[in-house]
Amino acid sequence: MYRWLALLLFTLPTYARPQTHGVAPALLPRYSPSAQKTWTCLDGSKDIPWASVNDDYCDCADGSDEPGTSACPNTSFYCVNEGHIGSTISSTRVNDGLCEKECCDGSDEPAGVCANTCKEVGESYRKEYEAARKLRKTGSKIRSTYIAFAQKEKKRLEAAIEASEKEIAEQEKEVARLKDIADRTEALSAEELEIKKQSPLYTSLLTHSAALKSLQREHKKHLEREKALGEILDTMRSNYNPNYQDMAVLEAVRGWEYHAGLPHIGEAEREEGVDEDDDAAKEDAAEEVPEGEWTAEELEHQLDTLLETDYVSLLMEHDKHVGPAESAAETLLYDVPAYLPDAFIPQYEAFRDSLVSWLAKLGIIRDPASRDAGDASKAREAYNAADHSLDLAKKELEKANEELSNLFDPTGYGADGEWKKLDGLCLTKDTGDYTYEVCLFGEAKQKPNHGGSTFSLGKFTSWHPSHDVAPGSPEYYSQQAYTQGTKCWNGPHRSVKLHLSCGTDNALLGIAELEKCEYLFTGTSPALCLPLEDEGKTKDEL
Ligand code: MAN
């Protein structure tokens, strides 16, 4: 029945079509007849009469003579779609009785078969296009704030790295210094240390330290006493009765006011109660400290640290500056290589070591390997503590360097760092039975709404898992994979594919479990809204 209708319409001469029917605009200039009304196939293989173009019979090997029919295999057909956008389809779909969606002008079928809907299709397309443009414009503005965030983050990390490198260099020097002290302290025999400890400088230092400690103790006692006395005098100052004309009390009050830098208290003030500005009084009382001496505040806060000084380590360090004090017998022994030709030194050292070890075994000298643990441990502890904090600082630096290199890594936070701001952002979607959650670059979860256990649906593994999609391309950022979640009973580990598109909000829109324990999340993010190509251009340029 339909065939008959098509045949009938074919035979109707009503809507005559141009001979270039189906030719794409780029090829139109090549479809014109010669003066002799002939035409050359596009591949140049043959000249045919112009009338044979689009006569529903395939003449050219490349099929170029039938752009508007389905007579030649493997060719394409172009529908103009006036009022909308032109489109190309395979010629096999021409004149097949079906109105192709791509050809809203109906030109793929004989005239009159398909209605021309291009006006409506074009209008709704333009509406949607405009809405999408608007969305992209708003979204890309948000995206640019994400990029600015990454730039700021970059500066912060660079500054932190620079500071940390400087600090590490300083710490390394300090560790080397402490190691040297620890090594030398440990290498030193107890006997030698005793000799060193007899140094007048060291003994005087210990005496100074003991004296300082005693002074500190007495000072504290006096401070407490002064405070108590001050409180007594303060009470007397505000409560005494001037009507009794007690000169002793008055003198004591005036004396205290002068001493404590307090203003002269009058009748009215006494009644209201004393409320002087404490700080102002203290400031008045503050005295100038001679250069090099400590202020009261320094005394209060730094004296304890000074008194904790490891004097043995200091003694070792002092040695470095003034040259080691030498213990007679061993020094002579160990200095021998200085008098030997180089070639004899190895034999000498072997001999010396075994002699020393024998003498030690026989109890004649102290084993140089034996340490005075008490003296050495403080120095070793100081070195270990410094070395540990150096290790921590190095780890911090490593972390900061890694963060910096991830920041603009296309396989990480994007070439512009646009995803950094969203690192760890959790999006949720309630589907009734479950609330699904994905924390970007972290973990996806399935939380039951009516009791039961939460399942991990996997951790972030990569952007677009397909190898065909180039890292850094817009398509690459349209998918994230979360894998190795809780194992499914009799099935795979749970996993999620998160499909993202441009939107003004970071949101999860849909959840589907396509296969058992394989979930598809769909969502939007402004990070995917690339700026419009024409943005930044003036109206005249467009
Ligand atoms: C739970 C949920 C479901 C899943 C089954 C598989 O009920 O994680 O999504 O399909 O386990 O046993």
Side-chain angles (χ1 to χ4, degrees):
M1 157 81 177
Y2 183 80
R3 276 168 162 262
W4 283 108
L5 183 67
L7 204 66
L8 183 73
L9 288 167
F10 243 142
T11 49
L12 287 175
T14 37
Y15 312 100
R17 278 173 165 164
Q19 212 156 348
T20 52
H21 187 58
V23 176
L27 290 175
L28 267 179
R30 298 182 63 185
Y31 280 83
S32 55
S34 69
Q36 292 77 37
K37 295 271 177 230
T38 61
W39 184 78
T40 310
C41 302
L42 287 189
D43 62 1
S45 60
K46 213 175 180 184
D47 283 347
I48 58 168
W50 174 241
S52 298
V53 172
N54 268 339
D55 66 348
D56 208 17
Y57 181 81
C58 197
D59 296 287
C60 300
D62 62 355
S64 55
D65 61 309
E66 292 301 316
T69 74
S70 55
C72 297
N74 304 326
T75 52
S76 26
F77 174 84
Y78 180 80
C79 17
V80 179
N81 292 344
E82 215 179 303
H84 184 38
I85 298 167
S87 146
T88 301
I89 60 169
S90 161
S91 290
T92 53
R93 296 165 71 190
V94 174
N95 295 337
D96 63 351
L98 297 173
C99 300
E100 306 299 341
K101 212 173 103 229
E102 293 91 330
C103 296
C104 57
D105 60 359
S107 61
D108 60 307
E109 295 301 318
V113 172
C114 303
N116 185 337
T117 57
C118 283
K119 191 168 172 280
E120 301 87 74
V121 171
E123 257 165 27
S124 100
Y125 169 82
R126 280 187 292 277
K127 238 188 199 164
E128 273 174 34
Y129 180 76
E130 258 325 297
R133 263 177 72 92
K134 223 169 139 188
L135 181 84
R136 216 172 119 182
K137 207 171 163 189
T138 316
S140 70
K141 273 189 194 142
I142 303 172
R143 182 181 188 269
S144 65
T145 66
Y146 294 171
I147 294 173
F149 174 84
Q151 290 293 347
K152 233 167 127 185
E153 192 60 5
K154 178 177 179 245
K155 281 201 184 120
R156 185 190 69 78
L157 283 169
E158 280 171 348
I161 287 169
E162 200 186 321
S164 162
E165 277 170 349
K166 268 190 199 147
E167 202 185 309
I168 285 176
E170 288 298 313
Q171 280 186 340
E172 271 170 345
K173 270 191 221 154
E174 179 64 2
V175 165
R177 189 182 74 84
L178 292 173
K179 183 176 184 311
D180 181 49
I181 294 171
D183 287 349
R184 290 190 321 127
T185 313
E186 284 171 0
L188 201 69
S189 72
E191 207 176 327
E192 271 178 308
L193 186 60
E194 277 320 306
I195 294 170
K196 280 178 197 293
K197 279 182 171 174
Q198 281 156 25
S199 125
L201 196 63
Y202 179 76
T203 48
S204 166
L205 205 56
L206 290 190
T207 314
H208 277 81
S209 164
L212 258 183
K213 261 185 210 155
S214 318
L215 270 176
Q216 191 192 35
R217 186 194 63 229
E218 290 304 309
H219 178 62
K220 274 184 187 156
K221 245 196 255 170
H222 285 303
L223 281 181
E224 273 160 30
R225 205 173 300 166
E226 189 192 309
K227 200 174 156 221
L229 283 174
E231 280 164 10
I232 294 170
L233 286 165
D234 275 340
T235 317
M236 185 163 84
R237 178 170 168 254
S238 47
N239 295 339
Y240 85 95
N241 188 340
N243 298 331
Y244 291 150
Q245 299 282 332
D246 187 334
M247 290 314 285
V249 174
L250 190 68
E251 221 167 282
V253 167
R254 295 287 175 257
W256 170 236
E257 283 171 346
Y258 173 77
H259 184 74
L262 298 170
H264 177 60
I265 194 159
E267 197 63 31
E269 285 161 297
R270 203 173 316 107
E271 269 163 19
E272 279 168 19
V274 190
D275 191 20
E276 279 90 10
D277 185 340
D278 253 13
D279 286 344
K282 267 183 206 153
E283 240 170 62
D284 286 347
E287 282 170 35
E288 282 253 321
V289 175
E291 209 185 316
E293 288 185 17
W294 286 23
T295 60
E297 203 172 308
E298 282 169 328
L299 274 173
E300 196 185 331
H301 296 112
Q302 295 175 24
L303 194 55
D304 281 336
T305 321
L306 182 73
L307 289 170
E308 276 164 16
T309 307
D310 173 5
Y311 294 108
V312 175
S313 302
L314 216 56
L315 189 62
M316 298 301 109
E317 206 176 356
H318 173 72
D319 247 20
K320 229 170 45 181
H321 297 278
V322 294
E326 291 163 351
S327 105
E330 281 185 11
T331 305
L332 240 188
L333 192 62
Y334 293 129
D335 271 354
V336 171
Y339 305 100
L340 289 176
D342 286 355
F344 290 109
I345 290 176
Q347 287 102 306
Y348 158 72
E349 281 179 351
F351 166 71
R352 180 201 62 192
D353 291 346
S354 60
L355 176 63
V356 167
S357 115
W358 272 109
L359 289 175
K361 268 186 201 144
L362 295 169
I364 298 168
I365 63 163
R366 190 186 167 90
D367 185 351
S370 79
R371 310 276 182 258
D372 186 316
D375 291 326
S377 66
K378 266 194 184 171
R380 182 56 64 185
E381 262 171 33
Y383 159 67
N384 284 343
D387 197 39
H388 180 64
S389 77
L390 174 63
D391 265 359
L392 291 181
K394 279 184 177 168
K395 274 187 193 126
E396 281 292 308
L397 175 65
E398 210 175 291
K399 219 176 102 192
N401 269 320
E402 206 180 296
E403 259 185 72
L404 183 64
S405 67
N406 269 349
L407 202 54
F408 298 104
D409 176 0
T411 63
Y413 299 121
D416 294 323
E418 68 273 26
W419 292 94
K420 175 68 189 172
K421 177 88 200 269
L422 305 179
D423 184 15
L425 177 75
C426 298
L427 313 175
T428 55
K429 176 84 189 161
D430 187 340
T431 59
D433 286 342
Y434 298 104
T435 295
Y436 288 88
E437 177 187 83
V438 61
C439 296
L440 298 175
F441 302 98
E443 192 171 8
K445 285 180 184 159
Q446 183 192 48
K447 302 174 177 175
N449 287 341
H450 313 294
S453 0
T454 292
F455 288 125
S456 165
L457 300 186
K459 291 200 171 136
F460 174 77
T461 318
S462 69
W463 283 105
H464 209 301
S466 162
H467 293 295
D468 303 334
V469 178
S473 64
E475 198 192 342
Y476 182 68
Y477 299 112
S478 68
Q479 276 194 40
Q480 282 193 336
Y482 292 77
T483 60
Q484 290 301 310
T486 314
K487 195 169 166 359
C488 190
W489 189 75
N490 253 350
H493 284 272
R494 288 175 173 79
S495 63
V496 171
K497 270 193 186 139
L498 170 61
H499 285 199
L500 291 164
S501 58
C502 159
T504 47
D505 293 315
N506 288 296
L508 266 189
L509 302 180
I511 310 285
E513 190 172 347
L514 298 181
E515 297 279 335
K516 197 170 163 192
C517 297
E518 288 178 18
Y519 305 83
L520 172 69
F521 288 13
T522 43
T524 56
S525 171
L528 278 166
C529 303
L530 298 176
L532 295 165
E533 285 77 24
D534 51 28
E535 235 173 310
K537 288 186 186 169
T538 61
K539 259 191 180 161
D540 291 346
E541 282 177 287
L542 289 173

